[in-house]
């Protein structure tokens, strides 16, 4: 009887070991040795998590997704007409499937091996950010969810293989911070009290301290390869230009100054973490300068406007009411830098993503994403 139990237990171990090897090897065959893409952030990279939340911030309505080939042009919850930067980067790095939204029913089992998307429209570094939308996933909650995924990887691959897969072969991207200004500190009426009690310096300090703790949490969960995007020129988006009644070549000074102040501190933080967290590499993605280049020299990149939203309503730049079924929509979607009042078009996302993948240290440092994958 003892021999039979030992034999059965041995078979179970052999089966589990064989299965974990099969899963890793299957993933290897499809993505050339690259592991998973874990995506954290806000609506710039949300792939549909907000579809599963009772929230005022949703993009699962047409014409969003009209150029997203994988869905046949149907909306998926992405806040653009096609692919997000995260989608494009994953494709170019060799991931065969888009990172599945964490809250989607199919975010289980083998699908996790290609990556998980935790990003949420309206989410921010600070927990109070985005409360105007009622529900959203802030970065703290997104990391809580990754903690659940981390445990699932142990069950899928075994603890040793799971740790290697996550720490040596997977990339963690974080695209967040804009909502902390647009839908928190700068929000009309709701933020007046906060702005009286907290100076811009203090607010940025809070953001950086909170982000430092959040990135350290991911490190403790075996994340090692990070790419962190700074905040783009939020004073130049169609929404800001419209409500402030600006000319085409003008931007809102305060919003951009806050973004640049945060970005300076972010770069310092990543340098500090690179020195402090052994074995980790934090790559800085200079989204601000990259998007500002597109806005300033849009014609050079084949665009006809960097001010007007392709899909939206209200004001000079269609920048007040978000994209939806009743919105006006341009026909030349690949000629607009902005898809809606807040978010880039797929055409703009493609240019941004390619710079992050192959670009110089002007936009991505100390290495680009293809170099990061191969480390």
């Amino acid at each position: 009887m003892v021999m039979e139990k030992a034999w059965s237990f041995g078979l179970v171990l052999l089966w589990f070991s064989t299965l974990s090897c099969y899963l890793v090897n299957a993933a290897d065959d499809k993505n050339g040795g690259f592991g998973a893409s874990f995506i954290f952030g806000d609506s710039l990279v949300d792939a549909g998590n907000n579809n599963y939340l009772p929230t005022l911030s949703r993009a699962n309505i047409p014409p969003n997704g009209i150029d997203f080939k994988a869905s046949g042009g149907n909306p998926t919850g992405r806040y653009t007409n096609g692919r997000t930067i995260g989608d494009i980067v994953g494709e170019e790095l060799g991931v065969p499937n888009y990172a599945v939204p964490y809250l989607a029913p199919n975010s289980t089992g083998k699908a996790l091996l290609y990556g998980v998307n935790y990003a949420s429209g309206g989410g921010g570094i600070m927990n109070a950010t985005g409360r105007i939308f009622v529900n959203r996933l802030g970065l703290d909650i997104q990391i809580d969810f990754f903690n659940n995924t981390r445990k699932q990887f142990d069950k899928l691959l075994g603890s040793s293989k799971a740790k290697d897969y996550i720490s040596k072969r997977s990339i963690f991207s974080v695209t967040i911070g804009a909502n902390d200004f647009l839908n928190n500190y700068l929000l009309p009426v709701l933020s007046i009290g906060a702005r009286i009690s907290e100076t811009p310096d203090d607010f940025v300090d809070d953001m950086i301290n909170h982000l430092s703790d959040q990135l350290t949490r991911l490190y403790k969960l075996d994340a090692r390869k990070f790419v962190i995007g700074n905040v783009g020129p939020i004073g130049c988006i169609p929404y800001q230009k419209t409500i402030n009644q600006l000319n085409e070549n003008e931007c809102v000074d305060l919003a951009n100054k806050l973004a640049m102040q945060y970005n300076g501190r972010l770069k310092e933080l990543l340098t500090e973490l690179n020195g402090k967290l052994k074995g980790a590499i934090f790559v800085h993605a200079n989204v601000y300068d990259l998007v500002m280049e597109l806005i300033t020299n849009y014609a050079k990149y084949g665009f006809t406007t960097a001010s007007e939203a392709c899909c939206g309503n209200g004001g000079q730049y269609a920048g007040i009411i978000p994209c939806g079924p009743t919105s006006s929509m341009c026909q030349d979607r690949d000629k607009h830098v902005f898809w809606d009042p807040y978010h880039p078009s797929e055409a703009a996302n493609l240019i941004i993503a390619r710079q992050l993948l192959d670009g110089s240290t002007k936009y991505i440092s100390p290495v680009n994403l293809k170099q990061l994958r191969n480390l």
Side-chain angles (χ1 to χ4, degrees):
M1 188 70 175
V2 174
M3 286 284 289
E4 285 179 3
K5 284 184 178 178
W7 172 248
S8 298
F9 182 65
L11 281 176
V12 169
L13 283 178
L14 179 62
W15 175 84
F16 181 77
S17 176
T18 303
L19 176 63
S20 66
C21 285
Y22 167 76
L23 289 173
V24 172
N25 290 337
D28 280 352
D29 290 343
K30 286 193 174 182
N31 60 11
F34 178 63
S37 175
F38 296 109
I39 299 170
F40 302 81
D42 53 30
S43 55
L44 290 169
V45 287
D46 186 350
N49 281 308
N50 278 24
N51 299 354
Y52 305 95
L53 295 175
T55 177
L56 299 176
S57 177
R58 279 192 176 183
N60 60 337
I61 51 173
N64 290 298
I66 190 170
D67 298 308
F68 190 65
K69 292 177 183 175
S71 69
N74 293 310
T76 61
R78 288 165 170 83
Y79 293 73
T80 186
N81 58 308
R83 294 166 294 170
T84 68
I85 295 169
D87 294 330
I88 298 163
V89 165
E91 279 182 358
E92 292 294 320
L93 291 180
V95 181
N97 302 319
Y98 296 123
V100 63
Y102 177 82
L103 294 179
N106 61 333
S107 64
T108 58
K110 187 179 170 184
L112 302 180
L113 294 175
Y114 305 117
V116 181
N117 186 313
Y118 306 89
S120 170
I125 294 167
M126 310 300 289
N127 289 319
T129 293
R131 59 187 168 184
I132 190 174
F133 302 118
V134 183
N135 275 301
R136 72 284 175 212
L137 308 176
L139 188 53
D140 278 335
I141 295 172
Q142 294 180 34
I143 296 170
D144 289 342
F145 287 162
F146 174 71
N147 188 34
N148 296 338
T149 302
R150 181 68 189 80
K151 292 170 186 173
Q152 289 178 277
F153 264 80
D154 279 347
K155 290 178 182 176
L156 272 171
L157 303 179
S159 59
S160 178
K161 283 190 175 70
K163 185 173 183 177
D164 274 359
Y165 196 83
I166 288 165
S167 63
K168 295 178 181 177
R169 297 167 49 192
S170 299
I171 290 178
F172 290 73
S173 66
V174 181
T175 305
I176 207 159
N179 283 318
D180 293 286
F181 296 113
L182 292 173
N183 292 305
N184 188 340
Y185 195 72
L186 290 173
L187 198 66
V189 184
L190 293 181
S191 70
I192 288 174
R195 276 189 270 174
I196 291 171
S197 62
E198 196 168 23
T199 66
D201 286 350
D202 291 339
F203 186 74
V204 168
D205 280 347
D206 281 351
M207 285 178 68
I208 291 295
N209 290 335
H210 214 71
L211 182 63
S212 178
D213 291 342
Q214 291 161 334
L215 296 177
T216 302
R217 275 184 71 200
L218 284 172
Y219 176 83
K220 289 177 179 177
L221 291 169
D222 295 322
R224 291 297 181 271
K225 296 181 179 183
F226 295 85
V227 54
I228 316 296
N230 65 12
V231 172
I234 51 177
C236 302
I237 61 176
Y239 170 75
Q240 287 286 340
K241 286 190 175 188
T242 300
I243 64 169
N244 289 282
Q245 299 181 324
L246 299 182
N247 293 327
E248 192 171 345
N249 61 349
E250 292 180 310
C251 297
V252 178
D253 195 45
L254 175 60
N256 280 354
K257 278 184 176 175
L258 286 169
M260 287 189 288
Q261 186 174 346
Y262 165 79
N263 291 345
R265 293 292 312 282
L266 174 67
K267 196 167 186 181
E268 291 171 2
L269 171 65
L270 299 185
T271 300
E272 177 190 324
L273 293 178
N274 270 324
K276 186 167 77 172
L277 299 181
K278 186 179 178 183
I281 178 166
F282 289 85
V283 173
H284 174 255
N286 186 5
V287 176
Y288 187 98
D289 285 351
L290 189 44
V291 175
M292 189 59 94
E293 164 68 13
L294 282 185
I295 290 170
T296 306
N297 299 306
Y298 61 87
K300 172 182 168 184
Y301 298 94
F303 297 103
T304 57
T305 177
S307 297
E308 189 174 343
C310 173
C311 182
N313 275 328
Q316 184 181 356
Y317 305 112
I320 295 177
I321 301 171
C323 183
T326 61
S327 300
S328 60
M329 184 180 70
C330 69
Q331 294 305 307
D332 52 348
R333 296 184 289 274
D334 61 344
K335 301 297 184 185
H336 282 63
V337 171
F338 287 97
W339 161 244
D340 68 8
Y342 301 92
H343 306 98
S345 63
E346 183 186 57
N349 282 337
L350 194 57
I351 293 170
I352 295 165
R354 284 175 176 164
Q355 284 290 347
L356 300 181
L357 285 156
D358 292 302
S360 70
T361 53
K362 179 180 180 181
Y363 295 128
I364 183 92
S365 62
V367 294
N368 63 41
L369 296 189
K370 285 190 175 175
Q371 292 167 334
L372 180 64
R373 173 194 60 188
N374 297 330
L375 289 178

